[in-house]
Amino acid sequence: MPRYIPIAAVLCCFLGNQFSITRAAPPSADRGYELLLNKAYVESAFDQETFDQVWQTWEPSLRDQAAKASPEERRRMAYRRYGLVERPDDPRHRPIQYVVDDRGRWTINCLACHQGTVAGELVPGAANTQFALETLVEDTRAMKIKLGKQLSRLDIGSSFFPLGRTVGTTNAVMFGVALMHYRDQDLNIHSDRLPPRLTHHDHDAPAWWNTSLKERLYCDDFAPQGHRALMQFIASRENGPEKFREWEDDFRHIQAYIQSLEAPKYPQKIDQELAEQGRAVFDKNCSECHGTYHPDRSIAEQYPERIVEWDLVKTDPIRLRSLTPEHRESYGRNWINEYGQAGEVVADPGGYLAPPLAGVWASAPYLHNGSVPTLWDVLNPSERPVTWLRKIRSPTTSSEQDYDFEKVGLSVETILEMPAEGLNSSERRYYFDTRRHGKSAGGHDFPEKLKIRERRAVLEYLKTL
């Protein structure tokens, strides 16, 4: 909310009704959602013709099927292939994840990573665990070349800058580093700087409904919350400092939308007696870091927002090390952090945030890199799959099968080894190999001390949050 200079109120009383003071409207969650859906803040990625024809770049068997399908069926196949969700009741059948303007230009928005489905249902604020950005860019780039269309910066940059090696994950942390590296504290662009040091790694987008429980951002909790913090991802070359000032109010509304979201309720029957047993186990063993979830307590009493030292949690360290203290300090001094006035930036967090667990059933996969497919696997560290395959592989298959209600999380198949050959790049991105750089499923082995019956009880309790 904006602050008003106290002297304005004094003048108003002194001058009576001669003048009226116009106050800005408070941030609106509805307006924020509308802006996300309909206002483009970066360069468009491709046009409608490219998307309508993109099926021609698919692997032969799928391409042959698409050739025999109607345009509507081909659109649905493309949406499933790329993890796009159609806007409800939209006569133009536009996806939630892209702004599509009247000229047919498609521009990615924040909902590309932060709005997906869970068990086939649209859940506001759920991460898009089926988003295949790298496959989409790869396919549309090939189609643009075939149609003789101009390539975008993303088309060119993605040739050497990974966008997400596994379906549903993102390299967004490095997007932020790369974009902000060429800006000074006032966001002026300096193209003559040498390239930044980048440690590419995939990350699991967090559920937005837990944002209101926290004061800070990211899995290392290094930065204060604020609407400007959302704006670093629009720092593409075409947006100079004046655009940030012009659009700042927009992002106040967008932040209001994010803050308004609430955790979804588990949609199936819960064994309340077992869940109550799990509450006792959780409160005794897990609440010190993850908080307690009792309706008679305030948010501050429920969730401690605690950083757990890496030597203790021991989850994959790449994300923690990928941001240098110098990068974090630079972030803290610039316009995005209100030149340090938004709050303290932690240059060396030393560990990862123990996240809030409201709606945790709907936020699979787990750990900051999305390496653990289900809550049961979180609770049974020694049984976590080394390599696993999302069961939804074909664009012609319904996404409703993509949830495991027994283990609570993604429906996956455990694979002993990655196939050595026979997979194209789009198929390979449905596999998750925890032996690869930044993808370890190790650490967070605290549940090992619990008995199996206690783990089952905790799993049931987590459904209630």
Side-chain angles (χ1 to χ4, degrees), residues 57-182:
T57 69
W58 297 348
E59 48 270 26
S61 61
L62 193 59
R63 185 171 66 242
D64 291 346
Q65 185 177 347
K68 299 173 184 177
S70 69
E72 291 78 14
E73 289 169 334
R74 283 199 292 266
R75 184 188 68 250
R76 287 192 289 269
M77 291 173 68
Y79 278 24
R80 285 193 289 268
R81 178 178 176 87
Y82 304 125
L84 305 178
V85 182
E86 186 174 316
R87 304 182 189 192
D89 304 316
D90 181 36
R92 293 170 57 187
H93 306 289
R94 294 170 296 175
I96 289 175
Q97 291 80 14
Y98 278 77
V99 175
V100 184
D101 67 17
D102 293 337
R103 294 171 58 185
R105 295 176 299 187
W106 286 50
T107 305
I108 196 168
N109 62 28
C110 300
L111 299 172
C113 294
H114 291 283
Q115 182 55 77
T117 60
V118 181
E121 298 293 329
L122 187 68
V123 177
N128 188 359
T129 63
Q130 299 194 45
F131 190 39
L133 177 59
E134 196 155 278
T135 299
L136 176 56
V137 173
E138 188 176 82
D139 290 356
T140 52
R141 179 175 61 228
M143 195 65 230
K144 285 183 189 178
I145 293 172
K146 187 172 184 178
L147 293 171
K149 292 180 180 287
Q150 183 176 351
L151 299 182
S152 69
R153 290 191 184 95
L154 184 60
D155 291 323
I156 298 168
S158 63
S159 300
F160 54 87
F161 193 111
L163 305 177
R165 293 187 175 96
T166 306
V167 167
T169 62
T170 174
N171 191 25
V173 174
M174 289 298 101
F175 298 171
V177 172
L179 291 171
M180 296 304 296
H181 175 75
Y182 296 99

Side-chain angles (χ1 to χ4, degrees), residues 241-260:
E242 68 284 349
K243 285 294 185 182
F244 283 79
R245 276 70 172 179
E246 176 186 338
W247 291 335
E248 184 172 9
D249 273 347
D250 287 1
F251 280 82
R252 289 189 174 97
H253 295 301
I254 291 170
Q255 186 189 31
Y257 169 71
I258 296 171
Q259 293 278 350
S260 74

